[in-house]
Amino acid sequence: ALLDPNGGAGCGIDARVLEHFGVKVIEINAEVGYPEHAIDTDGIDPASGRHMLLRVARATARERAHFGVAFDYDADRGNLVLPGHTEEAIIPPQKVATFNIALALTRRMLRRKSGKPLAVVMSDSTSLASERVGRSFGAEVVYVETGEINVVTRMHQLRSEGYDVPVGVEGANGGTIFETSTCRDGLQAALSAALAESEPEVSEAWLLHAGVPDPNGCEPGEPIPLSRLVASIPANPNVSLRLTAPPLPHAVVKKRLEAYFADRLWPELQGRFESFRFVNFEGTTVSAERTGEETGGWRVELRAPDRAAFVFVRGSRTESGIWRMILDADDEGDFQELLPRARTMFDTVSLG
């Protein structure tokens, strides 16, 4: 594996941990305090206009590594790439989250001994593709507000209620909490990718579960390339937008969003969907009502008999006027219909 700690907290130590578990590591950009590129790796390099992770994918190909991982500065997130020379080699964070759910639940399916009900915890901005994979294993999918502490806390609560909870994710950044870990960890994302190639029985079981019976001509027991596994992971059309607005109380913006959607957008969309509902995420609770300062995540969820979509909006608690919008849909046509309408909705309500 190729590791890029980018001068951050993972320099040296993450490579040693991976090597302890039998992974051969090539480390680049590993001088503490001297980052070679922007600290947030999941974005566009302003100098080149290309994705920040493209250089990592190219280095991975140059070194003939099986995969690459680029850490953010405190190493709690690990962005995965395959070897390649185009942006197609970059694995989007939402797909990393779904990948980790798929492999974690496959291992549970093969090795599970307890009769406890299965559950997976996901943050409010996680793609519906992750939900589909979780439910395909019979797991109950439980949502929380964005924030790793909310994911960890809810996982702990569910275990105390008698559930088996092998994994929790924050889909928007690919952050994953495995088993009884108490925080997301980019190193564990790297180990998950390494395990995928070193456990062919798990990979074969996932491909069969996903309806891909022939793992690219591999003989039983042979390692299945990570690229093949990644290609088998479902992914929705999904976009994350950073938006700006005049400083307004979060409660005002959300109230306006709900009124605009019900009055203006739903009449245009009800030919594609059967129903919608507004959902609020506050800490570990999910409700139709908001409480307190009303600064949690907000979603409008749209349902049809065979598909779903959502528009997620959450305002920053530290930067006034900064908002994040995420749009996700099972169907490409729904996504294309929703995207411009969602942008117009936010721009209109934020300006009053």
Side-chain angles (χ1 to χ4, degrees):
L2 180 130
L3 260 63
D4 177 8
N6 195 30
C11 289
I13 188 167
D14 281 352
R16 292 198 298 274
V17 172
L18 285 174
E19 287 170 347
H20 171 79
F21 286 102
V23 180
K24 182 180 178 181
V25 175
I26 302 102
E27 192 175 26
I28 63 172
N29 300 335
E31 187 175 358
V32 176
Y34 292 91
E36 293 288 331
H37 50 77
I39 291 173
D40 185 0
T41 57
D42 185 33
I44 302 300
D45 181 357
S48 66
R50 308 295 296 275
H51 198 288
M52 208 79 66
L53 291 172
L54 182 58
R55 60 192 295 170
V56 183
R58 288 173 171 169
T60 302
R62 186 169 59 249
E63 298 292 344
R64 299 185 178 181
H66 289 207
F67 67 91
V69 57
F71 296 112
D72 63 346
Y73 218 51
D74 61 357
D76 67 341
R77 287 180 287 166
N79 293 97
L80 297 177
V81 299
L82 297 170
H85 298 279
T86 69
E87 293 180 359
E88 291 181 356
I90 299 165
I91 308 174
Q94 293 280 10
K95 197 164 193 176
V96 171
T98 309
F99 172 86
N100 287 332
I101 291 169
L103 273 295
L105 294 184
T106 300
R107 292 186 190 100
R108 217 31 143 243
M109 178 180 69
L110 293 176
R111 301 164 187 171
R112 191 175 177 202
K113 295 180 181 179
S114 74
K116 295 179 179 179
L118 198 61
V120 177
V121 178
M122 302 180 187
S123 70
D124 45 17
S125 58
T126 301
S127 172
L128 293 168
S130 287
E131 179 180 314
R132 289 201 308 277
V133 168
R135 295 194 189 283
S136 75
F137 285 91
E140 182 173 339
V141 175
V142 179
Y143 282 99
V144 296
E145 183 187 352
T146 292
E148 64 185 304
I149 187 60
N150 295 323
V151 178
V152 170
T153 299
R154 194 70 182 103
M155 291 172 74
H156 177 75
Q157 290 172 344
L158 288 166
R159 289 194 187 100
S160 68
E161 295 168 12
Y163 284 88
D164 179 13
V165 193
V167 66
V169 298
E170 287 191 288
N173 58 49
T176 305
I177 294 96
F178 292 96
E179 299 290 349
T180 56
S181 295
T182 55
C183 65
R184 65 190 181 201
D185 185 350
L187 183 59
Q188 290 194 24
L191 283 168
S192 177
L195 270 176
E197 286 200 338
S198 63
E199 295 182 321
E201 72 280 5
V202 174
S203 300
E204 290 169 7
W206 157 250
L207 291 172
L208 287 170
H209 180 85
V212 187
D214 177 17
N216 209 28
C218 296
E219 293 295 326
E222 284 187 4
I224 297 171
L226 186 62
S227 58
R228 178 74 176 106
L229 291 174
V230 170
S232 73
I233 301 297
N236 276 7
N238 178 284
V239 68
S240 178
L241 305 171
R242 187 179 187 270
L243 305 175
T244 59
L248 287 170
H250 290 205
V252 171
V253 174
K254 291 169 185 175
K255 186 175 181 179
R256 289 179 181 177
L257 285 170
E258 291 176 350
Y260 185 99
F261 184 90
D263 296 341
R264 303 274 295 275
L265 287 197
W266 181 241
E268 299 177 8
L269 295 170
Q270 58 185 347
R272 302 185 70 92
F273 299 97
E274 286 190 346
S275 64
F276 74 89
R277 67 168 185 158
F278 301 126
V279 186
N280 297 280
F281 304 85
E282 298 178 351
T284 60
T285 63
V286 180
S287 173
E289 305 297 328
R290 289 184 290 278
T291 62
E293 296 180 352
E294 304 187 21
T295 56
W298 175 90
R299 275 185 8 181
V300 55
E301 299 178 346
L302 302 101
R303 299 280 174 182
D306 57 348
R307 64 191 197 280
F310 70 72
V311 179
F312 166 83
V313 176
R314 185 173 187 266
S316 172
R317 288 175 173 153
T318 57
E319 297 178 275
S320 179
I322 301 299
W323 293 76
R324 178 72 67 184
M325 173 183 283
I326 295 176
L327 196 147
D328 187 271
D330 293 337
D331 177 78
E332 178 67 35
D334 292 340
F335 180 82
Q336 295 300 333
E337 289 290 328
L338 279 170
L339 182 56
R341 289 176 168 86
R343 288 293 307 268
T344 300
M345 174 177 70
F346 183 85
D347 291 343
T348 302
V349 304
S350 65
L351 295 175

